[in-house]
Amino acid sequence: MNRVACDVAVVGGGPGGLAAAIGARETGARRVVVIERDGHLGGILQQCIHNGFGLSILEKDLTGPEYAHHYVSEALERGVRCFTNAMAIGLSPDRRITAVSPEAGLITIEARAVVLAMGCRERTRGAVWLPGTRPAGIMTAGAAQRFINIDGYLPGRRIVVLGSGDIGMIMARRLHLEGCIVEAVVEYRGTVGGLTRNLVQCIRDFDIPLYLRHTVTAIRGTRRVTGVDISPVDEGGAPDASRSQTLACDTLLLSVGLIPENELSKQAGVQLDEGTGGPIVNESFHTSVPGVFAAGNVLHVYDLVDDVTRCALAAGTSAARFAADYEATGPSTDAAARIVPGAGVRSVVPQRLSAHLPDTVEFHLRASTEGRRRTLELTGRQRGTVYRRRCPVVRASEMVRATVRGIGASGDDELTFRIGENCGEP
C-alpha cells in the first residue's frame, strides 16, 4: 500500500481540480496532489471540441482540449503530483483519502486540507421517468459527445434530443454538421435550459426544430429506437396525449440536467444544500467539515468553465492557507451569518459567511423566476437592504452574479437574497 502525505489533496483532475491545485501551489503549499479517475487530466473538456472556452479568464477563444491543455501544463510546471487512473473510493472527516489504481494499487493520502472537485454527472432516463420500451439508441448527450468526438462513432442517423441544456443544444448542432437529421429538440419548459448564445448558435442558426412546452410521452421500438411520441404540456405540467405526434428516429439523446457528484462528500459528513445538491460552503469555499473545501461543479453547476476555474483557484488558495495555519489556529468552520434564498431565488452560493470576511464577497445565484426589469436585493433583519441592483433580464437557466461590498458590517446573522419586480418597495 502506498502512503502519501501532502499539504493539499485535490479530488478530480478536471478544470476545477487543476485550478484548485494551481491556486494551492501559488499560495505556498509545497506538496499538492491531484487524484483523477480517468487516464488523462482535463476532465470533460477533452471531449468538448467546440470553441468558446476561456473568453473571459484567458481572453482567448479556445476549444475544450486547448483550455484543458493550458491548465494541465500550468499544474505540471508548478510541480503538482498527479495520480491518473486513480479512483478515490473513500474520504474520512480527518482528511484521509483512499484511492485505487491499476498502476499504484491501494493509495492512502493524508492531507492537511482537501479540495473536492469531482464535477457533476448527467441525469439518465430513470431520473425523468420516461415511458415506453427499452431499446438500444437511448443515451445521454454527454455519452453521445464522447462517442463522436473521442471514439469516432456516430450514435445514430436520425436524432431527437429531449431537453435543451447546453450540451443537448451543442450536440444537436454537432450531429447536424456530421450529416445526421436532427428531427427536434424537445423542451418541457417554456424556455430553453441552456445559455442564450447556444440557442442562437446551435439551434436557430441551423434551423433545428425546437418544441417548447413539449415532452416525450412514449418511446417506440424493440431492438432499436424507431420513433418517439411527443406531446404538449399544459400549464400544470401534464402532457396532453390527445395532441401527441410521432417523430421517426433511431436515437434519443437526453439532456435533462446535471447533478453534482457528492458521494465522497457524504462519506466525509459534509453538509449538503438541498437547493444546489452540493456542499454548503462559506466565502472561502470551506465546507462544514474542517479542512475540506469544495469548488466547481461539485458545488453547484456553473454555466461557464471560466467561472469554475475562478472559484477553484480561490478554493485552492483557501485550502493552502488552512494547511499552513492548521497547527497554529486549529480547525474552524464557524459561521457568523447564513445566506438564504428568498422569493425568486432557487439557490445561492456561498450559503455561509465567516466572522473574518474580506471587503468584497461574490455570490452566484440561480433564479426561480424569469422576466425583464427585475430587481436583485440582499436584506438583513437589522440593517435592512445591504445590496441592491437592477437586472435587465433574469433567466432560470443562466447564473446571476452579485458582488457585495461591506457585507461584514451588516451585523445580521441571516441575510436573504430576493429577485422580484420591486423588491423591498411598497
Side-chain angles (χ1 to χ4, degrees):
M1 181 172 66
N2 294 304
R3 291 186 178 274
V4 178
C6 63
D7 297 313
V8 177
V10 181
V11 184
L18 293 170
I22 293 167
R25 284 289 292 143
E26 290 184 341
T27 311
R30 292 179 301 166
R31 300 168 301 171
V32 179
V33 172
V34 171
I35 307 105
E36 168 55 42
R37 64 186 175 189
D38 201 358
H40 303 277
L41 297 171
I44 196 69
L45 291 181
Q46 300 291 5
Q47 66 186 52
C48 300
I49 65 172
H50 53 280
N51 65 330
F53 298 92
L55 291 171
S56 62
I57 195 168
L58 297 176
E59 297 183 347
K60 297 178 181 179
D61 187 8
L62 304 176
T63 65
E66 288 172 330
Y67 189 95
H69 176 74
H70 175 87
Y71 285 98
V72 169
S73 300
E74 291 283 317
L76 296 179
E77 287 174 5
R78 285 166 172 75
V80 175
R81 184 179 182 184
C82 300
F83 290 93
T84 55
N85 272 332
M87 171 70 77
I89 59 173
L91 173 62
S92 63
D94 61 353
R95 303 173 301 285
R96 186 187 302 266
I97 301 169
T98 303
V100 291
S101 163
E103 294 84 10
L106 185 66
I107 309 168
T108 299
I109 299 172
E110 298 174 350
R112 288 190 169 188
V114 171
V115 181
L116 303 173
M118 294 87 71
C120 57
R121 64 176 184 267
E122 294 178 281
R123 292 182 186 273
T124 60
R125 176 178 180 173
V128 292
W129 296 88
L130 275 182
T133 54
R134 300 184 65 84
I138 305 169
M139 66 191 75
T140 65
Q145 187 180 58
R146 182 176 180 86
F147 279 141
I148 192 170
N149 292 344
I150 300 293
D151 301 326
Y153 297 110
L154 278 179
R157 292 289 182 178
R158 300 187 71 177
I159 316 294
V160 172
V161 182
L162 175 60
S164 59
D166 290 311
I167 188 171
M169 293 192 286
I170 288 167
M171 283 308 297
R173 176 183 63 182
R174 181 77 176 92
L175 290 162
H176 174 86
L177 292 172
E178 286 294 330
C180 300
I181 299 172
V182 182
E183 296 287 350
V185 173
V186 182
E187 172 55 52
Y188 179 83
R189 294 170 295 185
T191 58
V192 297
L195 296 173
T196 302
R197 75 180 191 191
N198 287 328
L199 169 63
V200 173
Q201 297 172 3
C202 300
I203 304 300
R204 292 177 178 168
D205 285 356
F206 292 91
D207 295 323
I208 294 173
L210 174 63
Y211 291 82
L212 297 176
R213 297 196 183 279
H214 281 70
T215 190
V216 171
T217 50
I219 297 172
R220 299 180 179 272
T222 303
R223 300 187 63 183
R224 177 82 190 195
V225 174
T226 59
V228 296
D229 292 354
I230 66 170
S231 303
V233 296
D234 60 25
E235 293 299 325
D240 183 357
S242 67
R243 298 165 58 196
S244 67
Q245 60 178 304
T246 300
L247 300 177
C249 64
D250 60 19
T251 305
L252 175 64
L253 300 189
L254 305 179
S255 179
V256 291
L258 302 168
I259 307 170
E261 189 83 60
N262 274 294
E263 280 66 29
L264 283 179
S265 310
K266 295 174 185 176
Q267 278 192 34
V270 171
Q271 186 179 359
L272 302 184
D273 185 335
E274 292 183 1
T276 63
I280 293 174
V281 296
N282 66 12
E283 74 286 348
S284 299
F285 300 96
H286 206 167
T287 72
S288 59
V289 176
V292 177
F293 299 78
N297 287 337
V298 76
L299 183 59
H300 65 158
V301 179
Y302 285 84
D303 295 338
L304 303 173
V305 72
D306 300 56
D307 290 333
V308 168
T309 299
R310 287 190 182 92
C311 97
L313 286 168
T317 296
S318 299
R321 289 172 178 165
F322 180 93
D325 297 341
Y326 178 79
E327 292 183 358
T329 62
S332 175
T333 56
D334 295 339
R338 298 171 60 240
I339 307 295
V340 298
V345 178
R346 188 167 78 242
S347 63
V348 59
V349 172
Q351 302 93 336
R352 300 288 186 269
L353 299 178
S354 66
H356 304 288
L357 279 173
D359 180 61
T360 301
V361 178
E362 182 170 276
F363 296 90
H364 288 170
L365 304 92
R366 289 287 182 186
S368 60
T369 184
E370 297 196 358
R372 297 181 178 275
R373 298 178 182 177
R374 298 294 198 227
T375 300
L376 169 67
E377 70 175 17
L378 177 64
T379 59
R381 295 172 179 172
Q382 300 178 28
R383 183 176 163 185
T385 301
V386 177
Y387 170 88
R388 189 176 188 196
R389 73 175 173 89
R390 298 288 185 181
C391 302
V393 179
V394 172
R395 299 185 65 228
S397 61
E398 296 187 7
M399 189 169 286
V400 179
R401 296 170 181 82
T403 302
V404 183
R405 299 182 184 278
I407 191 173
S410 70
D412 285 284
D413 60 359
E414 182 176 295
L415 297 106
T416 304
F417 269 109
R418 296 182 179 88
I419 296 176
E421 295 184 5
N422 294 291
C423 290
E425 294 183 0

